[in-house]
Amino acid sequence: MAKETEAILRAVLFSIKRASTLGEAEAAVRAMCSKEDIDSVEQEIAKLKASQP
């Protein structure tokens, strides 16, 4: 795994482990993402929800 990826994953894991709620964890991870990253994830979530019965 690339060193950059390892550092990112450690930062995400640290933020999630420090969060008290799911909302705090999401906010911490969103703070590390660009608007484009967030929009892309939101689009994929919308597709998954649309395909569920």
Side-chain angles (χ1 to χ4, degrees), residues 11-29:
V12 170
L13 180 59
F14 181 80
S15 295
I16 290 170
K17 297 284 278 182
R18 297 271 304 149
S20 299
T21 66
L22 180 57
E24 285 181 15
E26 181 179 356
V29 173

Side-chain angles (χ1 to χ4, degrees), residues 5 13 15 17 25 28 31-32 34 43 46 48-52:
T5 303
L13 180 59
S15 295
K17 297 284 278 182
M32 292 183 238
S34 69
Q43 288 175 359
L48 287 172
K49 287 182 178 179
S51 69
Q52 292 178 349

Side-chain angles (χ1 to χ4, degrees), residues 1-42:
M1 189 177 313
K3 289 290 182 189
E4 299 86 12
T5 303
E6 289 176 13
I8 291 166
L9 290 174
R10 278 195 304 272
V12 170
L13 180 59
F14 181 80
S15 295
I16 290 170
K17 297 284 278 182
R18 297 271 304 149
S20 299
T21 66
L22 180 57
E24 285 181 15
E26 181 179 356
V29 173
R30 280 179 175 267
M32 292 183 238
C33 297
S34 69
K35 181 180 180 336
E36 292 79 19
D37 292 335
I38 294 168
D39 291 345
S40 177
V41 169
E42 295 294 344

